[in-house]
C-alpha cells in the first residue's frame, strides 16, 4: 500500500492540498522541498490550487493540471515564435535597408538575444528551478512583449525612408547632359543608423524574456506528466512553436507589400513597386501586434501553482547515477554555489547528454542560419520579391518542420519508445537528411544579365573588362551611387535608366511605366521598364522549397525522440539545470555564431554594395554561384558534423543500458553474469522488441513458466511453481532443461 509520501502528498492531506514546499513532498517527482514546518492550507505558495494572490475561486481549480499548463505554454510558444522566428526573421532584409546594415551586422543583431540568454540562463534555471517556475515563465512572456513593442516603435523615431538617394524625382536618373555625378551630399545620412542601439536594447529584453520558456517551462511540464506521455506533450508545444514562424512569415509577406511609411506619407505618391529592390515594407506592424499578444499571454502563468499533482508512473529507462532532489529550504549562498558546481560536473561528464546537446548544436546552426538568411537566398538566387520569398517559406518549409515534430512525438508515444529506439530513429532521419542535401545543389541559377556588372555591354570588347561606363552612356555622366534597375526590351537588366541610356519617360500617375530612347538597349523599340527582368529560373524556387519541406520534416521528426533521450539521461534533480545548460549551449555555439559566420560568407558573395559618400550600406546584388556555394556548403558540413555527435551519444546509450543490465544480473551470481544481454547494436531495429536475454533459474524462481522473458527452465522448476500455487501440472512434461 503506497504511503502518502510516495503519492507526493503529506500525511492527512487530500491530493488537492498537496504542498509545494512543505514536508512530505516527493523530491523525486520534481518538487523542491523546504523545511518541515506546517503552513496554512490556504497559503498561496503552499497549495496547488489555481489563482492569483488570494483570489482562488473553485471554478478555475479544474485548470490545475498538466494539460492546461501545456495548453497555455503551447500558446506562449506560438506567440514567441510568431514574433521572433516569424516577423523578426522575415523583416531582416527590410531592417537592413531601414538601418543601413550589412548581412554581418544584421546577423549580429539576430544574435544579441541569444547572447543575453547565454549570460543569464545558468542562474535563471538553477535558481528558478527551486522557485515558482510558472511565475518566472509568465514574467518572461511580458518581457518578450515589451522588447517586441520597443522594436516596433522605432519606426516613429527614424526619418521618413528616402528610396531615391538623390531625391524622388525620377528624371534625375535619366540620360541627360550634366546629369548627377558621384559627388557626395554632405547632408545625406551615411553608415549604420544612429538608432541601431535601440534595436540592440530591444533584443536584450527579448533575450531575457525568452530564457524561462524552453527551460523552466519544459521542465515543469515534464515533471508533472507520465514519462510515456511526455513526448506527446512536448511535441504539441513544439508544434505550436514551429507553426508560429509559418504564420509570421505569411503575415509579414502581407505587411511587406504595404509601404513602410504608410502612416506618414501619401502612399499614392510612392513611385516604386514591391518588385523594386529599393522597396521597403511596413516591417514594424508585426512587432507591435505580436508584442501585445505576448504581454497578455504572461498573465495566465501567474495563476498556476508552484507544483501540480504528479501521476503515478512506473516508467523505467536509462537511469543516471545521480542523486534525487534534496531539501533546499536551508541552502545558503555557499551551498547554492557548491551544489551548482556539483550538478555541473555530473552533467558535463554525461556522455549521452553531451552527445545529444552538440548534435542539436550542429543541426540548429543550420536551422538558425536558414531562418535568418533563407528569405535573402530565395530573393537573390531565384529573383523573387521579399513578399513572395516569405510566402514560400511560410507555406512550405516551416509547416514541414511542424508536422515532423508532431510526428516524431506521436510515434514515440505510440510505440512507447525508450531511449534506444528513440536514438535509433534519430540516427536514421539524420542520415537521410544529409543525403537529401545533395538535391539542393541541383537547383542552380545563373547570375542575372546586368551589363556592367555580370557581363560587358554588347557594344564593348570583353577583353577591356566589365565596367558600368560604355560608349552608349558616356555622355550621360551617370551616378553609380543609385541602383535603379530597369528591364530592357532585350531582356537585359540595366543598372539604372541612365546607364541604359534612356532619355525619355512615360508616366502613369506618379509611377514611371516606361523609359524610351534607350541607346544601350539592343532592340527595335529601344525602351525599358522599371525593375529587374523576370527570369525563368524563378520557377525553380518551388522545387527547391518542396525539397526543403521534406528535409525539414525528417530533421524535425528526429528531434523529438532525441530530446526525450536527453531528458531521460539526467536525474530529475538536475533536469532544470541540464535544460538550461542545453539551452545555453544551443545559443552559445549555434544561434549566436551561425548567423555571424553565415552572414560573413554571404557578404563575400556581394557584387554590388549600396554606398553613400563612400560608406557601405546593404548589398543590392549577389553572385549566385558564390552565394550558393557558401550557404549550402556550410549547411551540409554542419549536418555531417551533427551525425558524428549523434554516433557518440548512440554508443553511450547502449553502453549505459548494458551496464545497467549487467548490474541487475550481478546480484544473481556468476551464472547470471554469463547470461548477460546480447542485444545487437543495430539502429534499424526500431519496431521489434529483441528477446535475446537469458535469465538464470535462480533469478526466475518457481514462476518461470509465466515469465515470457525466461529462456531457461527445468521440470523441477515448473513442478515447483505449480505446487506452490495449488495448480495441477498439465499433460505435457518437460523431461530435461530446455532452452528456446
Amino acid at each position: 500500500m503506497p504511503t502518502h509520501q510516495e503519492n507526493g502528498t503529506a500525511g492527512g492531506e487530500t491530493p488537492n492540498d498537496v504542498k509545494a514546499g512543505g514536508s512530505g513532498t516527493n523530491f523525486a517527482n520534481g518538487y523542491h522541498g523546504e523545511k518541515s514546518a506546517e503552513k496554512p492550507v490556504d497559503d498561496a505558495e503552499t497549495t496547488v490550487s489555481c489563482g492569483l494572490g488570494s483570489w482562488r475561486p473553485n471554478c478555475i481549480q479544474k485548470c490545475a493540471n498538466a494539460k492546461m499548463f501545456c495548453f497555455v505554454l503551447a500558446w506562449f510558444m506560438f506567440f514567441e515564435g510568431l514574433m521572433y522566428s516569424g516577423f523578426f526573421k522575415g523583416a531582416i532584409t527590410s531592417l537592413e535597408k531601414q538601418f543601413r546594415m550589412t548581412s554581418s551586422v544584421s546577423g549580429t543583431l539576430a544574435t544579441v538575444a541569444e547572447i543575453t540568454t547565454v549570460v543569464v540562463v545558468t542562474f535563471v534555471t538553477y535558481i528558478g528551478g527551486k522557485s515558482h517556475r510558472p511565475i518566472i515563465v509568465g514574467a518572461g512572456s511580458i518581457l518578450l512583449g515589451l522588447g517586441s513593442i520597443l522594436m516596433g516603435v522605432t519606426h516613429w523615431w527614424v526619418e521618413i525612408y528616402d528610396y531615391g538617394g538623390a531625391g524622388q524625382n525620377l528624371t534625375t536618373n535619366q540620360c541627360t547632359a550634366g546629369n548627377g555625378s558621384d559627388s557626395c551630399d554632405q547632408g545625406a545620412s551615411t553608415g549604420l543608423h544612429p538608432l541601431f542601439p535601440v534595436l540592440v536594447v530591444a533584443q536584450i529584453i527579448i533575450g531575457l524574456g525568452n530564457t524561462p520558456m524552453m527551460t523552466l517551462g519544459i521542465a515543469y511540464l515534464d515533471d508533472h506528466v507520465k514519462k510515456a506521455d511526455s513526448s506527446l506533450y512536448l511535441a504539441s508545444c513544439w508544434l505550436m512553436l514551429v507553426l508560429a514562424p509559418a504564420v509570421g512569415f505569411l503575415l509579414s509577406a502581407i505587411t511587406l507589400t504595404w509601404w513602410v511609411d504608410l502612416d506618414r506619407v501619401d502612399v499614392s505618391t510612392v513611385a516604386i513597386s514591391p518588385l523594386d529592390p529599393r522597396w521597403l515594407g511596413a516591417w514594424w506592424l508585426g512587432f507591435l501586434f505580436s508584442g501585445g499578444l505576448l504581454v497578455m499571454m504572461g498573465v495566465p502563468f501567474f495563476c498556476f501553482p508552484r507544483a501540480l499533482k504528479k501521476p503515478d508512473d512506473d516508467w523505467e529507462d536509462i537511469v543516471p547515477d545521480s542523486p534525487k532532489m534534496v531539501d533546499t529550504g536551508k541552502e545558503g549562498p555557499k551551498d547554492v554555489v557548491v551544489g551548482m558546481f556539483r550538478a555541473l560536473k555530473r552533467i558535463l561528464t554525461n556522455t549521452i547528454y553531451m552527445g545529444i546537446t552538440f548534435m542539436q548544436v550542429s543541426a540548429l546552426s543550420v536551422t538558425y542560419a536558414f531562418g535568418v538568411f533563407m528569405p535573402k537566398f530565395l530573393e537573390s538566387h531565384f529573383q523573387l520579391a521579399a513578399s513572395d520569398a516569405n510566402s514560400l517559406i511560410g507555406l512550405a518549409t516551416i509547416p514541414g518542420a511542424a508536422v515532423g515534430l508532431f510526428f516524431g512525438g506521436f510515434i514515440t508515444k505510440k510505440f512507447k519508445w525508450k531511449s534506444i529506439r528513440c536514438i535509433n530513429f534519430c540516427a536514421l532521419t539524420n542520415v537521410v537528411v544529409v543525403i537529401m542535401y545533395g538535391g539542393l545543389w541541383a537547383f542552380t541559377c545563373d547570375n542575372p544579365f546586368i551589363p556592367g556588372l555580370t557581363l560587358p555591354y554588347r557594344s564593348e570588347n570583353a577583353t577591356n573588362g566589365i565596367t558600368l561606363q560604355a560608349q552608349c552612356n558616356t555622355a550621360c555622366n551617370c551616378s553609380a551611387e543609385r541602383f535603379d534597375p530597369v528591364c530592357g526590351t532585350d531582356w537585359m537588366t540595366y543598372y539604372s535608366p541612365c546607364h541604359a541610356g534612356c532619355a525619355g519617360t512615360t508616366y502613369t500617375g506618379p509611377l514611371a511605366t516606361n523609359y524610351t530612347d534607350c541607346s544601350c538597349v539592343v532592340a527595335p523599340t529601344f525602351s525599358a521598364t522599371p525593375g529587374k527582368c523576370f527570369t525563368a529560373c524563378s520557377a525553380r524556387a518551388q522545387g527547391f522549397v518542396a525539397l526543403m519541406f521534406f528535409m525539414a520534416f525528417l530533421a524535425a521528426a528526429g528531434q523529438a525522440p532525441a530530446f526525450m533521450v536527453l531528458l531521460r539521461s539526467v536525474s530529475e534533480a538536475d533536469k532544470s539545470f541540464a535544460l538550461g545548460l542545453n539551452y545555453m549551449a544551443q545559443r552559445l555555439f549555434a544561434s549566436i555564431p551561425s548567423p555571424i559566420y553565415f552572414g560573413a560568407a554571404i557578404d563575400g558573395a556581394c557584387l554590388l554594395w549600396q554606398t553613400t559618400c563612400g560608406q557601405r550600406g546593404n548589398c543590392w546584388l549577389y553572385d549566385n554561384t558564390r552565394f550558393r556555394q557558401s550557404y549550402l556548403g556550410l549547411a551540409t558540413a554542419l549536418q555531417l558534423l551533427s551525425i558524428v555527435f549523434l554516433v557518440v551519444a548512440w554508443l553511450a546509450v547502449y553502453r549505459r543500458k548494458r551496464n545497467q543490465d549487467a548490474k541487475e544480473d550481478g546480484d544473481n551470481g556468476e551464472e547470471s553474469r554469463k547470461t548477460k544481454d546480447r542485444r545487437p547494436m543495430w539502429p534499424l531495429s526500431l519496431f521489434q522488441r529483441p528477446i535475446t536475454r537469458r535469465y538464470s533459474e535462480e533469478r526466475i524462481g518457481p514462476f518461470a513458466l509465466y515469465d515470457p522473458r525466461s529462456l531457461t527452465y527445468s521440470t523441477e522448476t515448473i513442478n515447483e511453481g505449480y505446487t506452490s500455487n495449488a495448480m495441477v501440472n498439465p499433460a505435457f512434461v518437460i523431461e530435461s532443461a530446455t532452452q528456446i
Side-chain angles (χ1 to χ4, degrees):
M1 191 71 178
T3 64
H4 289 291
Q5 187 168 351
E6 289 173 346
N7 286 333
T9 62
E13 295 176 2
T14 64
N16 290 331
D17 294 325
V18 177
K19 292 185 178 182
S23 67
T25 301
N26 185 357
F27 302 116
N29 286 346
Y31 307 148
H32 300 264
E34 296 179 359
K35 55 188 179 181
S36 302
E38 294 289 339
K39 295 183 180 180
V41 174
D42 58 349
D43 193 320
E45 289 188 1
T46 59
T47 63
V48 295
S49 59
C50 277
L52 191 61
S54 60
W55 179 75
R56 296 177 181 273
N58 293 330
C59 60
I60 66 170
Q61 297 314 310
K62 60 183 179 181
C63 298
N65 56 69
K67 290 183 179 179
M68 182 56 65
F69 184 81
C70 178
F71 176 81
V72 177
L73 181 65
W75 278 105
F76 173 29
M77 289 184 170
F78 180 84
F79 294 140
E80 188 274 343
L82 182 72
M83 181 274 296
Y84 189 71
S85 300
F87 285 122
F88 177 59
K89 301 297 174 59
I92 283 290
T93 56
S94 299
L95 290 171
E96 288 179 355
K97 297 174 185 177
Q98 181 82 78
F99 295 92
R100 301 187 291 273
M101 296 185 289
T102 64
S103 294
S104 298
V105 174
S106 63
T108 303
L109 177 66
T111 65
V112 171
E114 315 299 344
I115 294 174
T116 305
T117 297
V118 169
V119 173
V120 303
V121 68
T122 303
F123 299 98
V124 169
T125 54
Y126 185 79
I127 299 176
K130 302 172 180 295
S131 306
H132 199 304
R133 289 178 284 182
I135 289 181
I136 298 177
V137 175
S141 179
I142 294 175
L143 282 175
L144 273 169
L146 295 177
S148 178
I149 292 173
L150 180 59
M151 288 281 292
V153 297
T154 55
H155 160 70
W156 288 286
W157 300 343
V158 299
E159 65 279 358
I160 294 178
Y161 177 64
D162 179 12
Y163 58 87
Q168 297 183 6
N169 182 6
L170 296 183
T171 60
T172 61
N173 207 25
Q174 296 178 13
C175 182
T176 57
N179 192 23
S181 63
D182 290 334
S183 59
C184 179
D185 180 7
Q186 297 299 329
S189 299
T190 61
L192 198 61
H193 199 283
L195 286 177
F196 177 78
V198 178
L199 301 183
V200 175
V201 173
Q203 288 295 304
I204 292 175
I205 298 175
I206 290 173
L208 290 173
N210 203 20
T211 305
M213 180 186 70
M214 291 297 292
T215 54
L216 300 180
I218 292 294
Y220 184 87
L221 178 62
D222 185 68
D223 282 346
H224 299 99
V225 298
K226 290 184 177 181
K227 294 297 179 282
D229 300 335
S230 180
S231 61
L232 188 60
Y233 278 93
L234 297 182
S236 300
C237 293
W238 289 333
L239 176 65
M240 297 292 283
L241 181 64
V242 178
L243 278 178
V247 179
F249 272 108
L250 290 175
L251 292 179
S252 66
I254 297 174
T255 59
L256 291 180
T257 60
W258 304 336
W259 184 243
V260 60
D261 294 313
L262 56 88
D263 60 323
R264 298 192 289 181
V265 301
D266 184 1
V267 179
S268 62
T269 62
V270 178
I272 58 176
S273 68
L275 294 177
D276 194 294
R278 296 167 296 162
W279 176 269
L280 184 59
W283 55 267
W284 49 276
L285 286 174
F287 290 105
L288 298 180
F289 173 71
S290 57
L293 293 176
L294 283 166
V295 171
M296 293 187 294
M297 197 67 239
V299 176
F301 286 101
F302 288 85
C303 299
F304 280 97
R306 179 172 178 171
L308 299 170
K309 180 184 176 183
K310 184 176 179 180
D312 295 333
D313 197 354
D314 58 354
W315 182 264
E316 294 182 358
D317 202 349
I318 51 172
V319 181
D321 296 328
S322 300
K324 299 293 185 180
M325 289 188 174
V326 297
D327 193 330
T328 59
K330 298 181 179 180
E331 279 191 348
K334 181 179 179 180
D335 297 326
V336 170
V337 174
V338 172
M340 181 184 298
F341 277 100
R342 288 177 178 174
L344 183 64
K345 180 181 178 180
R346 289 193 298 269
I347 293 171
L348 294 183
T349 55
N350 188 326
T351 308
I352 299 175
Y353 173 88
M354 296 301 292
I356 295 294
T357 295
F358 281 98
M359 181 275 291
Q360 292 176 332
V361 165
S362 301
L364 290 176
S365 296
V366 180
T367 302
Y368 284 117
F370 275 22
V372 175
F373 297 116
M374 182 55 74
K376 180 190 287 287
F377 180 79
L378 295 178
E379 290 177 43
S380 172
H381 197 71
F382 299 105
Q383 301 297 304
L384 300 178
S387 58
D388 294 335
N390 286 345
S391 297
L392 284 175
I393 294 174
L395 289 172
T397 305
I398 296 177
V403 176
L405 276 175
F406 186 79
F407 175 77
F410 173 77
I411 61 174
T412 302
K413 170 160 179 9
K414 176 69 175 178
F415 297 104
K416 299 187 182 300
W417 282 349
K418 295 187 179 181
S419 295
I420 291 177
R421 298 289 178 256
C422 287
I423 202 166
N424 287 346
F425 181 77
C426 183
L428 178 63
T429 56
N430 274 266
V431 170
V432 176
V433 168
V434 169
I435 296 174
M436 295 178 71
Y437 261 99
L440 295 181
W441 291 84
F443 296 92
T444 60
C445 288
D446 295 328
N447 289 324
F449 298 144
I450 304 180
L453 285 179
T454 61
L455 75 168
Y457 282 85
R458 294 180 179 178
S459 60
E460 300 297 312
N461 190 343
T463 59
N464 296 332
I466 300 177
T467 176
L468 287 172
Q469 299 299 324
Q471 296 180 1
C472 58
N473 60 25
T474 301
C476 300
N477 195 20
C478 301
S479 172
E481 287 200 356
R482 181 176 175 184
F483 182 53
D484 185 8
V486 294
C487 179
T489 53
D490 56 358
W491 290 103
M492 292 282 187
T493 298
Y494 292 87
Y495 191 90
S496 70
C498 180
H499 289 86
C502 302
T505 307
T506 302
Y507 291 92
T508 300
L511 294 176
T513 57
N514 195 40
Y515 295 97
T516 58
D517 300 329
C518 302
S519 57
C520 296
V521 177
V522 182
T525 58
F526 303 102
S527 61
T529 54
K532 296 179 181 179
C533 293
F534 292 102
T535 171
C537 196
S538 299
R540 297 186 181 182
Q542 299 176 2
F544 182 89
V545 173
L547 182 58
M548 287 289 297
F549 172 88
F550 292 104
M551 294 176 61
F553 171 82
L554 289 174
Q559 290 303 312
F563 192 74
M564 299 311 300
V565 177
L566 183 140
L567 286 176
R568 304 297 166 254
S569 68
V570 297
S571 67
E572 293 191 1
D574 296 334
K575 186 179 297 181
S576 293
F577 192 39
L579 285 177
L581 292 176
N582 174 267
Y583 193 68
M584 181 179 69
Q586 292 178 14
R587 269 62 192 164
L588 187 62
F589 301 113
S591 59
I592 291 176
S594 66
I596 295 176
Y597 59 73
F598 268 88
I602 292 171
D603 281 343
C606 185
L607 286 176
L608 177 63
W609 291 98
Q610 176 198 25
T611 55
T612 303
C613 298
Q615 294 291 327
R616 178 184 292 184
N618 60 291
C619 183
W620 289 121
L621 185 68
Y622 290 93
D623 184 317
N624 282 349
T625 301
R626 293 176 62 186
F627 196 165
R628 181 178 65 255
Q629 292 175 347
S630 301
Y631 195 53
L632 297 183
L634 280 173
T636 305
L638 287 169
Q639 196 66 40
L640 287 170
L641 184 61
S642 71
I643 294 181
V644 174
F645 289 116
L646 184 60
V647 170
V648 173
W650 181 72
L651 294 173
V653 168
Y654 274 93
R655 186 182 303 112
R656 178 179 291 184
K657 185 62 177 174
R658 286 191 170 192
N659 290 341
Q660 288 180 1
D661 293 340
K663 184 177 180 181
E664 293 175 2
D665 292 338
D667 298 332
N668 300 315
E670 183 65 26
E671 183 178 353
S672 293
R673 286 191 290 270
K674 293 180 180 179
T675 59
K676 62 183 179 180
D677 188 11
R678 300 295 183 184
R679 182 179 292 113
M681 296 172 56
W682 179 242
L684 299 181
S685 57
L686 296 175
F687 303 98
Q688 296 181 353
R689 179 175 180 176
I691 51 173
T692 59
R693 179 187 298 276
R694 297 167 58 195
Y695 287 81
S696 68
E697 183 174 321
E698 288 83 357
R699 177 174 179 179
I700 298 302
F703 304 101
L705 186 64
Y706 306 106
D707 192 333
R709 301 171 302 170
S710 63
L711 303 179
T712 303
Y713 49 86
S714 65
T715 304
E716 291 78 13
T717 301
I718 296 174
N719 291 332
E720 182 182 352
Y722 278 109
T723 302
S724 62
N725 289 278
M727 298 173 65
V728 179
N729 197 345
F732 65 89
V733 176
I734 301 178
E735 297 295 342
S736 58
T738 306
Q739 294 185 359
I740 58 174

